[in-house]
Each structure stands twice: as structure tokens, then as C-alpha cells.
Amino acid sequence: MIECPNCGSTAQVRLEHHETYIWQKEIAVYLEYKCGCGQRFVTSIITNRENEKIT
């Protein structure tokens, strides 16, 4: 569960938008959230593609 950095709520947080970027050796995912209190915030995940498996 994602917790709002402003009010601490987990029940009011909603995913608003996401973007994925693929570079030569990295994948980055940015997730934009909005809480019911009005706070907007972004989380990111950046990982290496070297262990990527195609099935």
C-alpha cells in the first residue's frame, strides 16, 4: 500500500498517471498519485535490464 506523505492515509491514495522509459540498460517506471487530502506525489522504480528474460 502506498501511504500519503502529507496525511499518512492509504485508503485515499489513487494512481493518476504512469510513464515507462526504456534505455539501453535500464527501465524506469514513474507512478503519479493523488490523495484525497489534495497531495500529489511521484514514486519511481529504476532497474537494470541485464537480467531481463523474454518468454
Side-chain angles (χ1 to χ4, degrees), residues 9-21:
S9 175
T10 57
Q12 299 182 69
V13 177
R14 300 287 180 252
L15 180 64
E16 289 271 302
H17 182 73
H18 64 87
E19 291 187 25
T20 303
Y21 298 98

Side-chain angles (χ1 to χ4, degrees), residues 18-37:
H18 64 87
E19 291 187 25
T20 303
Y21 298 98
I22 301 173
W23 291 282
Q24 292 178 353
K25 294 184 179 182
E26 289 184 337
I27 299 173
V29 179
Y30 296 92
L31 305 171
E32 181 182 330
Y33 296 93
K34 181 179 180 185
C35 182
C37 74

Side-chain angles (χ1 to χ4, degrees), residues 36-52:
C37 74
Q39 179 73 30
R40 291 181 178 271
F41 57 98
V42 176
T43 62
S44 63
I45 302 166
I46 300 174
T47 188
N48 192 319
R49 292 182 66 191
E50 289 181 6
N51 296 327
E52 185 176 55

